[in-house]
Amino acid sequence: MTSLERALTVINLGIPDRVPVDLHNFCVAAEMLGESYESVFTHGEKIAESQILAWEEFRHDILLVEVGTTTTAEVVGCEVEYRDHDAPFVTKPVLSRLEDINKLEVPDPYRSGIQMREMLKAVRILKDKLGDKVFIMGRADQGPFDLATQIRGYGNFLMDLAERNKLDLIHKLLDFCRQVTTRYALALIAAGAHGTSIGESAAGPDVVSPTTYEEFAFPYEKKMIQELKKKGIIIANHICGNVDAIIDKMVATGAEIIEIDHKTDLKEAKKVCAGKTCILGPIDTERLRRGTPEEIEKLCKKAIEIASPGGGFILGPGCAMAGNTPLENIHSLVKSAKKYGVYK
């Protein structure tokens, strides 16, 4: 099987020749290219070059193409700052008042935001060079809830939810964010991506209650995912931290892939997801950064033993790897899938 065939087989809940590998490695790729993160993340040619360089090094099956968590925030007007060896972050939200949501318009992905335009360019390049070999996951950045925290300001939005006195405006903001992310996802697919994904870490139980997730995040995730699925688009949903309390809801969104990290109970996740969706993860990124290749092999072997039976499992980091993650540890992850993840 090619990497593309392997990934598609697993996503469609079939049995491939072996467990496929995804690497959440945009920072690692930028480090390998040897240029500043800002230079890489604002030039489509360099984003693509860094991804190709990493693929030639590791030969993983899925390219998770992104430049951090600020692409959709930037396109709607948030101020973004770049760092030397870390992902960019939002320094100033765009909404000082919830009422100002009425002034925002869904932007054109092809005309707005440096990161978004360059990401679309990068996906087109990758599709041309590797599109018949590997699965290209063009990440549509943040899901509706996460994007709302960036547009409004993290603390401000959580306070809005706690006070509950402007629920109509909160829902209007969330639906606006859904539209922004959906439009970006469609543009990534049009550029040549085989699938897309969103991150909703601010909506997880490590930040808000499962009740808050169900009321404010779940409906917009589900609406977005179902709209894309009707168009035949594959989508993954990622929430950091322990998602034991909401993983059934994450599955209920209809996402073909649920990305989880090491804090989630993998055995329980497998039970919930079996026959319904594919699990991606859950190797601890901190152990990838600080551990040894032997330790990584043990973690991967255990994950494969738990999650691979019956298919529906993609081995990978539980979240984005730090740029200084040792290459030998990443090699250990990839080799572990080939060593322990073969289906007889």
Side-chain angles (χ1 to χ4, degrees), residues 42-43 50 69 73 116 133 178 187 200 216 232 236 255 287 307 321:
T42 57
H43 293 86
S50 69
T69 61
M116 191 169 287
K133 297 181 178 67
R178 177 193 63 80
E200 284 275 73
F216 295 104
R287 297 322 312 149
M321 292 185 289

Side-chain angles (χ1 to χ4, degrees), residues 92-100 103 151-153 156 160:
K92 185 177 180 180
V94 72
L95 286 186
S96 58
R97 307 180 311 140
L98 271 175
E99 287 78 7
D100 292 337
K103 299 177 182 179
I151 290 176
R152 177 74 176 105
N156 291 336
D160 293 335

Side-chain angles (χ1 to χ4, degrees), residues 141-185:
D141 198 25
Q142 301 308 283
F145 191 95
D146 251 36
L147 181 56
T149 67
Q150 293 178 315
I151 290 176
R152 177 74 176 105
Y154 192 86
N156 291 336
F157 187 64
L158 294 183
M159 185 61 69
D160 293 335
L161 296 178
E163 292 177 345
R164 300 180 63 87
N165 57 13
K166 296 180 180 179
L167 289 176
D168 57 333
L169 293 175
I170 291 172
H171 285 289
K172 189 167 186 176
L173 171 59
L174 286 164
D175 196 60
F176 169 79
C177 293
R178 177 193 63 80
Q179 293 176 59
V180 172
T181 303
T182 301
R183 191 167 184 183
Y184 181 32

